[in-house]
Amino acid sequence: MKIAVTGLNATDNPGPGVPVIRSLYYSKDFAGEIIGLIYDALEPGIYMDNITKRNYLIPYPSSGLQNLYERLVYIQQQEKIDVIIPTLDSELFGFVKLEDKLKKLGIKMFLPTFEQLNIRAKDKLFDFCKGNEINVPKNILVSSLIDLMKIPEEFEYPVVVKGIFYDAYIVNNFEEAKTAFLKISSKWGLPIIIQEFLKGDEFNVVALGDGSGQTVGAVAMRKLYITEKGKGWAGVTIFDNNLIEISKKVIEKIKWRSGMELEFIKSSETGQYYLLEINPRFPAWVYLAPNAGQNLPYALLQLALGNNVEKFDNYKVGTIFVRSSWDLITDISTLEKISTQGEI
Amino acid sequence: MKAYSIPENIAISDSGFIFLPTTGETFTLNETGKTIFKYFQQKRNLDEIINSLLDEYEIDRLTLERDLEDFILRLKSLNLLVEL
């Protein structure tokens, strides 16, 4: 069996590819080969020992789906891949669009639908939560600098200014809001989200939905160390039934079909959890889940293959991950090969 | 006399390390803190705790009561102790 995985960019903003692969290897039942699908010749995952068997460069989704499809047709001729596990937000729409065509090539995936992807989008999440009695920070969408004048009518400063895809800044006044608006809109476009600032601790949940509304498993984590980019560099599994129940409710309401990460803040004022974001794929810390007793990536692989999986009902609290940077040394010929031939 | 109890899901290791399984918070207690924390876990009342500490440490009652009150306030604010 051959499984292709994307997102091997294990940098200071790590992709989930390497931890997904490590999770598959973690299962004693896994006996497949891993093929790396990479967007850049310097994605660290391909330089690591015992992670991928072979690797192929694939075109960025922005270069057109036909290019990606043609490249995957070529790769399929070489490899006969059984399952692709895409792990990056930016490529998901493309893979969902290609799902039927790839199925005809014999490639299975376990992805959300367009509708599911849209419901959890940053500009739609507020309405979804309000409609389903899930706590969510108040937010408004703005499309121009003039709209920023509305902030004092709706909120008290500070507020969070967020991009539609990435980036977020906490701002304390109109001037700061303006700077954040210009910075984010030039990079990620419009609209911009203005969100109520809640004081409290952040909690994350990695989960897997089976597509029928059932949660296959869910593991909650609190970040112990956060980088300047806001990435968790260490974390510990925790258990709070409220947090897991809210996550299950989200999966039930969306009928989520795939891995996901839910980001919450527990308000220090009310003690309630507020849903901040739903990321439509496993997070880069997903390798914590199998080590705590829920191998969610392996379960996703089984679902992609059409096999039944048993639901996980508990996990070990107090399991810690600590990320580290590690220099990989290799000869220039490795880079030469992947750069010139597109595969290694 | 006020009575206190340690929430059920909180455990302390021999080294004085406390992990809150619902929030992921961790704390470390020194020897004295560990002793007092264990007395609360043993459900001793405040009088019993004060008398035990007076036996164990060279300290006058007034200072001990004041320090203990500070420590209790701290534990309560961190959700490590609840007043019954």
Side-chain angles (χ1 to χ4, degrees):
Chain A
M1 185 169 53
K2 289 187 183 177
I3 317 300
V5 180
T6 67
L8 306 188
N9 51 326
T11 59
D12 61 342
N13 182 14
V18 172
V20 162
I21 294 167
R22 291 183 74 197
S23 301
L24 298 180
Y25 287 141
Y26 189 88
S27 168
K28 59 179 174 28
D29 299 323
F30 180 72
E33 267 184 17
I34 302 289
I35 308 299
L37 301 179
I38 55 169
Y39 293 102
D40 190 288
L42 281 173
E43 288 192 26
I46 67 170
Y47 297 91
M48 294 176 182
D49 290 332
N50 306 318
I51 293 293
T52 55
K53 195 84 178 171
R54 276 174 300 286
N55 302 283
Y56 293 86
L57 272 169
I58 56 173
Y60 284 104
S62 54
S63 71
L65 276 186
Q66 187 57 27
N67 288 343
L68 176 61
Y69 176 68
E70 282 168 16
R71 182 64 177 156
L72 291 172
V73 169
Y74 167 79
I75 296 168
Q76 184 63 348
Q77 284 163 357
Q78 316 302 311
E79 297 291 348
K80 304 256 178 300
I81 291 165
D82 295 285
V83 175
I84 294 182
I85 306 179
T87 67
L88 303 173
D89 301 36
S90 52
E91 65 189 7
L92 272 180
F93 275 100
F95 276 102
V96 171
K97 270 190 182 166
L98 290 177
E99 195 166 15
D100 288 341
K101 286 172 88 174
L102 294 180
K103 206 172 178 181
K104 285 177 189 153
L105 297 177
I107 299 173
K108 299 181 179 85
M109 294 188 286
F110 196 72
L111 298 175
T113 62
F114 277 120
E115 195 193 358
Q116 291 168 348
L117 275 176
N118 276 325
I119 288 173
R120 42 73 31 202
K122 290 186 187 191
D123 55 336
K124 311 274 192 327
L125 188 66
F126 181 76
D127 290 338
F128 164 76
C129 289
K130 280 289 159 199
N132 289 288
E133 292 173 343
I134 294 165
N135 288 332
V136 61
K138 183 179 172 187
N139 74 34
I140 56 168
L141 300 178
V142 295
S143 299
S144 70
L145 283 174
I146 295 169
D147 289 345
L148 296 180
M149 308 292 273
K150 289 183 203 159
I151 292 176
E153 293 166 24
E154 305 276 347
F155 307 94
E156 272 181 39
Y157 280 106
V159 295
V160 186
V161 180
K162 291 169 77 171
I164 193 80
F165 295 116
Y166 295 102
D167 254 356
Y169 297 92
I170 297 166
V171 301
N172 294 292
N173 51 49
F174 178 78
E175 282 307 313
E176 286 180 15
K178 197 172 119 186
T179 308
F181 178 96
L182 293 171
K183 210 169 180 176
I184 297 171
S185 59
S186 65
K187 208 168 170 186
W188 302 110
L190 296 170
I192 299 288
I193 300 156
I194 307 292
Q195 188 178 74
E196 174 187 8
F197 173 74
L198 290 174
K199 212 173 160 192
D201 293 318
E202 284 188 39
F203 295 88
N204 296 42
V205 175
V206 58
L208 173 62
D210 72 354
S212 75
Q214 296 291 310
T215 298
V216 176
V219 174
M221 181 273 290
R222 178 198 171 114
K223 291 175 188 173
L224 295 176
Y225 185 90
I226 299 172
T227 66
E228 281 176 13
K229 282 191 175 177
K231 303 293 163 189
W233 216 248
V236 60
T237 53
I238 58 119
F239 182 80
D240 184 335
N241 199 41
N242 286 338
L243 191 58
I244 298 297
E245 286 306 315
I246 300 168
S247 305
K248 286 182 176 174
K249 186 177 178 181
V250 170
I251 289 174
E252 185 197 330
K253 297 292 177 188
I254 309 183
K255 291 194 167 46
W256 186 257
R257 184 180 188 271
S258 194
M260 73 196 311
E261 179 190 30
L262 301 108
E263 297 184 7
F264 293 93
I265 192 159
K266 188 178 186 183
S267 162
S268 49
E269 205 175 304
T270 65
Q272 303 276 316
Y273 289 104
Y274 290 76
L275 183 58
L276 295 177
E277 268 181 34
I278 298 176
N279 296 316
R281 39 74 195 159
F282 286 133
W285 56 272
V286 67
Y287 187 54
L288 186 64
N291 284 280
Q294 296 196 9
N295 197 335
L296 301 177
Y298 185 72
L300 179 140
L301 172 64
Q302 294 309 311
L303 290 171
L305 290 167
N307 299 332
N308 286 330
V309 295
E310 277 187 31
K311 280 200 261 178
F312 297 101
D313 52 12
N314 56 37
Y315 57 88
K316 189 170 169 269
V317 171
T319 309
I320 284 184
F321 80 88
V322 180
R323 207 164 270 164
S324 72
S325 298
W326 187 268
D327 296 352
L328 301 165
I329 308 297
T330 189
D331 189 76
I332 190 77
S333 58
T334 311
L335 177 62
E336 179 198 347
K337 199 168 178 207
I338 190 73
S339 302
T340 56
Q341 297 172 23
E343 56 191 80
I344 189 163
Chain B
M1 172 66 61
K2 286 178 182 172
Y4 299 93
S5 123
I6 306 285
E8 258 179 37
N9 58 353
I10 295 177
I12 182 168
S13 72
D14 289 343
S15 61
F17 185 79
I18 299 172
F19 171 63
L20 265 59
T22 52
T23 64
E25 290 167 288
T26 58
F27 307 93
T28 308
L29 295 180
N30 65 14
E31 278 303 314
T32 320
K34 207 166 74 182
T35 305
I36 298 169
F37 199 83
K38 287 202 167 161
Y39 287 158
F40 280 123
Q41 278 186 317
Q42 291 161 3
K43 302 196 186 310
R44 296 195 195 185
N45 68 36
L46 216 48
D47 266 347
E48 288 170 333
I49 292 175
I50 290 168
N51 290 330
S52 298
L53 292 170
L54 283 171
D55 286 344
E56 277 178 66
Y57 296 92
E58 281 182 24
I59 187 169
D60 63 274
R61 178 177 278 272
L62 196 67
T63 310
L64 185 136
E65 284 181 352
R66 196 188 57 212
D67 289 353
L68 184 60
E69 196 177 329
D70 277 351
F71 187 56
I72 287 170
L73 280 174
R74 192 81 200 278
L75 291 178
K76 279 170 67 182
S77 72
L78 296 169
N79 298 316
L80 297 173
L81 191 69
V82 286
E83 200 173 321
L84 295 172

